[in-house]
């Protein structure tokens, strides 16, 4: 890796080790490796650095960087310069955002760093295969756990003739336990099946001990005494922590109703709101809250709850319902990032790729309790906020007590290794009784049996003193049970000057320049020559004849040259 010696002091220990191990693996003949690092650890730095490694080790000349969402794609694109500065690279980079309808621009522009999404490749695998065929491409797959071995995304990527590949993920497991395509699996030492074998796995514990990467975690789990009339009409009491003793049908009904029960929801909302308001009193505008709702109707209901009980908090709702367009969801997300809202109530719109270090209070009222998705949810608020002192970097999570929390807490406190995949006749899966599957609400609503009815709900939590000495009802978990490490003073050398050309930005600017002058010239031509003809087409034809230019324009220089010609034509018409 052609990086300056000073760059190693800028890399986190796990980042430096990841790149060193990747270089060693490539020299040993490997062509695809998986690296697992927690949220906030800087996957983009590792991904960009892996291109530098692949270029030095095997002569890669182009990086194709793929992400599962457009939000993450934009974040990676914007973060390339910073990543290059961290690794100390002096390699000239011409970056471009891929557009499937104009992939020929990539070659014409000389771009050597292409950022695209898995959806784009799956929609046009042959175009990306041709793009890669004439180059020595290093492939980076961000959030690689999306690449199930039998999925369409993995199938499309399998067609790409790439030289090397690096898979990046914050979790080494998929929810459905389908193997990750391209990842290496080995026999479990315990003989339980196969376990994933990443090149490097930086655990949350390791990242947290390094300091200034993750916030401290304070989770309050409120227990409740519930009076229930079951499907046979029998009335009995139990606590939420004893819910696992109920029949499956009753459990599903109870969980569904609790999410709407004001006696269950309001105390959690109250503690969430109090905590958020108290934090912003100490550091105004530096803290925001995130709420996980179950459905779009549930999100709208929670918005009304906040409006009634805590009107001072500015709330925004985002979900994929018909009444909210993609553009409106995007606007609300942008406004949340711009601190125009205090609370974001969302349904599957703020998971992976949602980067908001100001989020320091979470409220979980959805139906998701499988380990990997819950850890992803916590990750939305765990990212360290560098605008605040370490003592104020605490993530407060509020959640109703539930037996399903046990395995998640155990993982966060001990970071237990992944469960082995067990082979069967169809592939690699967990056995059915080991999966955590949340039954959809519709199954409960459509059941012909008499509905379970919650008659009464009361708080029934334990007591503890939190780290500020405040008396709180509930149960507390502090990440790993150890104090946060003191920040380590670092003496960093000045970052090297990085040469990065934003090809996509240049191209869009040139296209807009050409469009502007073409429209002006066409309007002026129509004013002076009112004949019923297509004035845009006439001008384009004249430009092609005069300059001998045929076919679709591809580069910024070509669009700018045409824009200059249209500008001259417009000025000629004005005389």
């Amino acid at each position: 890796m052609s990086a300056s010696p000073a760059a190693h002091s800028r890399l986190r220990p796990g980042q430096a080790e990841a790149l060193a191990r990747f270089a060693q693996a490539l020299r040993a003949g490997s062509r695809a490796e998986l690296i697992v690092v927690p949220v906030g650890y800087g996957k983009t730095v590792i991904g960009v650095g892996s291109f530098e490694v692949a270029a030095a080790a095997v002569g890669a000349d182009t990086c194709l960087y793929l992400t599962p969402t457009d939000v993450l794609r934009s974040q990676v694109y914007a973060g390339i310069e910073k990543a290059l500065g961290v690794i100390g690279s002096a390699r000239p980079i011409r970056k471009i955002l891929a557009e499937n309808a104009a992939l020929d621009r990539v070659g014409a522009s000389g771009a050597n760093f292409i950022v695209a999404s898995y959806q784009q490749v799956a929609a046009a695998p042959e175009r990306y295969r041709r793009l890669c065929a004439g180059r020595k491409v290093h492939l980076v797959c961000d959030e690689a756990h999306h690449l199930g071995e039998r999925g369409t995304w993995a199938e499309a990527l399998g067609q790409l003739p790439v030289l090397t590949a690096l898979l990046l993920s914050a979790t080494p497991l998929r929810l459905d336990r389908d193997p990750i395509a391209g990842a290496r699996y080995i026999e479990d030492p315990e003989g339980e099946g196969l376990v994933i074998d990443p090149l490097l796995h930086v655990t949350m514990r390791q990242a947290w001990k390094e300091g200034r990467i993750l916030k401290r975690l304070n989770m309050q789990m409120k227990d409740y005494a519930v009076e229930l009339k079951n499907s046979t009409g029998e009335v009995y009491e139990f606590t939420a922590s004893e819910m696992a003793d109920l029949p499956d049908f009753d459990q599903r009904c109870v969980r569904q109703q609790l999410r709407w029960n004001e006696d269950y929801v309001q105390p959690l909302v109250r503690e969430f709101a109090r905590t958020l308001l108290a934090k912003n009193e100490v550091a105004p505008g530096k803290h925001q809250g995130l709420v996980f709702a179950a459905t779009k109707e549930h999100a709208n209901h929670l918005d009304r709850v906040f409006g009634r009980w805590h009107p001072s908090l500015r709330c925004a709702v985002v979900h994929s319902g018909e009444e909210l367009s993609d553009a409106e969801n995007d606007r609300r997300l942008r406004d949340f990032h711009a601190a125009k809202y205090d609370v974001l109530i969302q349904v599957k719109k703020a998971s992976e790729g949602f980067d908001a270090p100001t989020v320091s209070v979470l409220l979980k009222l959805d139906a998701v309790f499988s380990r990997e998705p819950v850890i992803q949810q916590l990750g939305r608020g765990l990212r360290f906020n560098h605008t605040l002192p370490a003592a104020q970097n605490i993530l407060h999570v509020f959640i109703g007590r539930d037996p399903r929390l046990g395995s998640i807490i155990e993982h966060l406190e001990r970071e237990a290794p992944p469960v082995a995949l067990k082979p069967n006749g169809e592939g690699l899966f967990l056995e059915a009784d080991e999966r955590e599957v949340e039954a959809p609400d519709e199954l409960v609503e459509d059941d012909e049996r008499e509905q379970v009815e919650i008659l009464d709900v009361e708080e029934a939590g334990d007591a503890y003193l939190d780290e500020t000495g405040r008396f709180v009802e509930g149960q507390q978990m502090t990440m790993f049970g150890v104090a946060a490490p003191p920040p380590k003073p670092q003496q960093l050398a000045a970052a090297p000057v990085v040469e990065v050309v934003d090809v996509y930005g240049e191209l869009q600017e040139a296209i807009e320049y050409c469009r502007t002058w073409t429209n002006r010239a066409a309007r002026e031509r129509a004013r002076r020559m009112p004949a019923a003809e297509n004035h845009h087409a006439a001008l384009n034809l004249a430009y092609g004849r005069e300059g001998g230019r045929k076919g679709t324009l591809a580069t910024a220089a070509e669009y700018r040259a045409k824009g200059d010609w249209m500008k001259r034509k417009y000025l000629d018409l004005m005389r």
Side-chain angles (χ1 to χ4, degrees):
M1 182 170 64
S2 58
S4 66
H8 295 292
S9 63
R10 295 181 169 275
L11 289 168
R12 292 170 178 153
Q15 293 171 336
E17 185 176 359
L19 295 178
R21 287 195 187 187
F22 188 54
Q24 184 179 9
L26 294 185
R27 288 194 294 268
S30 174
R31 289 298 177 260
E33 293 290 348
L34 168 69
I35 290 175
V36 180
V37 295
V39 61
Y41 202 77
K43 289 199 307 295
T44 303
V45 170
I46 298 173
V48 173
S50 71
F51 175 43
E52 185 78 11
V53 169
V58 294
D61 57 25
T62 302
C63 181
L64 176 59
Y65 201 118
L66 301 181
T67 72
T69 66
D70 286 335
V71 172
L72 190 54
R73 186 175 79 124
S74 298
Q75 288 181 5
V76 167
Y77 193 77
I80 291 173
E81 288 91 334
K82 181 179 179 181
L84 289 168
V86 171
I87 65 175
S89 172
R91 182 177 304 278
I93 294 293
R94 295 179 61 83
K95 65 176 185 176
I96 190 168
L97 277 172
E99 293 181 343
N100 283 10
L103 277 184
D104 56 324
R105 291 175 180 169
V106 174
S109 65
N112 63 349
F113 203 109
I114 307 155
V115 185
S117 68
Y118 294 128
Q119 295 94 322
Q120 287 178 297
V121 177
E126 181 57 28
R127 294 182 187 177
Y128 283 87
R129 191 197 67 77
R130 291 197 301 268
L131 175 68
C132 295
R135 297 166 175 244
K136 296 179 180 179
V137 174
H138 170 61
L139 177 68
V140 178
C141 298
D142 206 347
E143 304 293 358
H145 57 276
H146 286 279
L147 299 174
E149 201 169 66
R150 298 173 301 168
T152 56
W153 291 358
E155 181 182 358
L157 264 61
Q159 301 179 31
L160 302 181
V162 299
L163 186 64
T164 54
L166 180 69
L167 311 179
L168 292 169
S169 181
T171 174
L173 287 175
R174 286 173 52 83
L175 181 59
D176 61 5
R177 299 307 192 261
D178 193 16
I180 299 174
R184 182 171 53 250
Y185 287 82
I186 59 174
E187 288 291 337
D188 179 22
E190 302 296 327
E192 295 293 326
L194 297 177
V195 292
I196 198 162
D197 182 32
L199 181 68
L200 177 68
H201 184 183
V202 177
T203 66
M204 292 178 71
R205 180 188 293 270
Q206 289 172 288
W208 194 77
K209 284 184 175 180
E210 287 182 29
R212 305 184 66 79
I213 297 170
L214 300 176
K215 297 185 180 81
R216 284 176 288 165
L217 176 63
N218 187 307
M219 182 181 290
Q220 182 180 343
M221 295 170 285
K222 280 190 171 294
D223 209 350
Y224 295 85
V226 181
E227 185 179 357
L228 174 75
K229 183 174 75 172
N230 68 10
S231 56
T232 65
E234 180 183 1
V235 177
Y236 58 96
E237 292 184 358
F238 63 94
T239 63
S241 57
E242 298 167 341
M243 199 179 301
D245 297 331
L246 299 178
D248 289 343
F249 176 74
D250 291 355
Q251 286 188 49
R252 294 199 300 271
C253 288
V254 168
R255 284 177 173 133
Q256 181 194 28
Q257 292 183 45
L258 279 176
R259 293 196 292 270
W260 296 83
N261 186 287
E262 185 163 324
D263 291 328
Y264 174 88
V265 171
Q266 202 279 329
L268 286 166
V269 170
R270 179 192 66 217
E271 290 300 324
F272 171 94
R274 285 178 177 175
T275 302
L276 181 57
L277 290 168
K279 286 187 171 188
N280 274 319
E281 283 184 9
V282 176
K286 298 290 187 179
H287 295 277
Q288 292 177 294
L290 183 61
V291 179
F292 293 95
T295 64
K296 62 181 181 181
E297 291 83 6
H298 188 230
N300 293 332
H301 169 70
L302 293 175
D303 188 33
R304 292 190 291 271
V305 171
F306 273 94
R308 181 173 42 167
W309 294 101
H310 306 284
S312 64
L313 291 174
R314 302 164 298 171
C315 297
V317 174
V318 291
H319 54 67
S320 55
E322 294 180 358
E323 63 270 29
L324 278 182
S325 66
D326 290 342
E328 178 61 17
N329 277 316
D330 290 344
R331 183 192 68 77
R332 294 183 183 186
L333 286 169
R334 286 195 303 270
D335 286 348
F336 179 76
H337 285 296
K340 295 180 181 179
Y341 295 109
D342 304 303
V343 178
L344 184 69
I345 306 170
Q346 64 86 46
V347 183
K348 298 179 181 178
K349 286 289 184 182
S351 52
E352 293 165 340
F354 181 83
D355 185 5
T358 52
V359 169
S360 65
V361 190
L362 295 184
L363 174 58
K364 181 170 170 57
L365 289 168
D366 63 0
V368 177
F369 274 86
S370 293
R371 190 176 78 179
E372 285 74 32
V374 171
I375 292 173
Q376 286 282 355
Q377 289 177 337
L378 296 179
R380 300 315 98 205
L382 278 174
R383 190 181 296 268
F384 195 88
N385 186 350
H386 291 275
T387 67
L388 292 171
Q392 295 181 29
N393 266 268
I394 305 170
L395 172 65
H396 285 85
V397 179
F398 298 93
I399 188 170
R401 187 80 185 276
D402 194 295
R404 295 172 296 180
L405 288 168
S407 63
I408 299 168
I409 294 171
E410 180 183 24
H411 175 78
L412 288 173
E413 290 182 329
R414 300 195 298 113
E415 234 170 343
V419 179
L421 300 172
K422 295 191 175 183
N424 62 20
E426 298 179 358
L428 298 173
F429 300 97
L430 280 181
E431 293 179 353
D433 60 356
E434 292 184 87
R435 301 180 196 168
E436 296 182 66
V437 180
E438 177 70 26
D441 292 345
E442 290 75 11
L443 293 180
V444 178
E445 293 171 354
D446 295 341
D447 200 298
E448 295 180 355
R449 290 177 290 178
E450 184 180 350
Q451 291 291 301
V452 169
E453 181 183 358
I454 294 178
L455 302 179
D456 190 27
V457 177
E458 292 182 0
E459 291 183 65
D462 301 323
Y464 76 92
L465 290 176
D466 72 1
E467 57 192 306
T468 68
R470 189 169 69 100
F471 183 82
V472 182
E473 289 186 344
Q475 290 191 351
Q476 178 202 33
M477 182 197 72
T478 302
M479 183 177 283
F480 312 128
V482 293
K488 298 178 180 178
Q490 292 185 338
Q491 303 257 343
L492 298 180
V497 177
V498 180
E499 180 187 343
V500 178
V501 177
D502 185 354
V503 175
Y504 183 80
E506 287 185 348
L507 188 61
Q508 296 307 306
E509 183 180 345
I511 290 173
E512 184 60 30
Y513 174 77
C514 180
R515 181 186 294 118
T516 297
W517 286 110
T518 300
N519 289 339
R520 289 181 180 178
R523 285 197 299 269
E524 188 61 26
R525 191 177 189 275
R527 191 174 69 82
R528 295 176 179 274
M529 305 176 188
E533 64 174 310
N534 187 326
H535 296 283
H536 282 84
L539 287 168
N540 287 330
L541 182 61
Y543 174 72
R545 287 174 175 170
E546 183 175 321
R549 180 68 175 84
K550 297 181 180 180
T552 305
L553 305 183
T555 68
E558 290 172 345
Y559 277 103
R560 192 161 289 281
K562 182 177 179 180
D564 290 341
W565 187 91
M566 293 293 178
K567 181 178 180 180
R568 290 194 299 272
K569 183 61 64 176
Y570 168 78
L571 295 175
D572 288 344
L573 289 168
M574 291 289 291
R575 289 174 185 157

